[in-house]
Amino acid sequence: MKVPYAKKWQKETDNLRKIALDCDLREELKWGKPCFTFLKKNVVIVIPLKESCALAFFKGALLKDPKRILQRAGGHSQAGRWIKFTSVKEITSLRSTLTDYIYEAIEIEESGKKVELKKASEYVVPEELQAKLNENAILKAAFEALTPGRRKSYIFHISSAKQSKTRAARTDKCVPMILSGRGFNERPN
């Protein structure tokens, strides 16, 4: 699938690729994007987005980030961090910092350090969903049989609602999906 906005960020992507290649990383195409590896481990990836272009670190949570420029890639991301750019000028001004961060990321890979990821069981099940699980043994068994990622998808979706009535409505809507064994973000077969 072609990314329609990839061309929009071609100059920025090329600059970020050059910086990563100058750090002696190996370039591979993964998920349709330039990904840079060290000892066959993913270190950074360049991602053209709609409104910007990002350099994303797979284990960015372990980087020191003295310049405070790393951001979580999403509200629930645990390991990944990225830096977004909207111009070549921004990239050029941070070139030495980006190089330092990439070399630190390589050192992390060499050391074998891993990001301690929160387990699905550590996330609090919203009380509206928990009430449904407590009153319906079949639903509870189906929920517990889901993969950790699928359980998290329901926990995140339901708990992101601010009002209890919305969380309850989302819970009701999710019951058939849970019983079918699929995650919230999955389409039916």
Side-chain angles (χ1 to χ4, degrees), residues 160-173:
S160 68
K162 292 180 176 79
Q163 296 182 11
S164 179
K165 69 179 182 180
T166 308
R167 289 191 298 273
R170 286 183 180 184
T171 297
D172 291 341
K173 203 171 187 179

Side-chain angles (χ1 to χ4, degrees), residues 1 20 25 32 35 40 49 51 61 68 71 73 85 94 107 118 120 140 179:
M1 180 177 92
L25 291 174
C35 182
K40 298 185 180 183
L49 303 162
E51 303 299 326
R68 299 218 177 277
Q71 305 168 342
F85 299 96
L94 282 176
E107 286 175 22
K118 198 171 176 180
K140 185 173 184 168
L179 292 171

Side-chain angles (χ1 to χ4, degrees), residues 32 51-53 66 73 88 107 109 121 123 132 143 153 160 181 184:
E51 303 299 326
S52 62
C53 182
V88 171
E107 286 175 22
E109 278 308 325
S121 59
Y123 290 96
K132 282 270 190 225
F143 186 74
S153 72
S160 68
F184 175 73

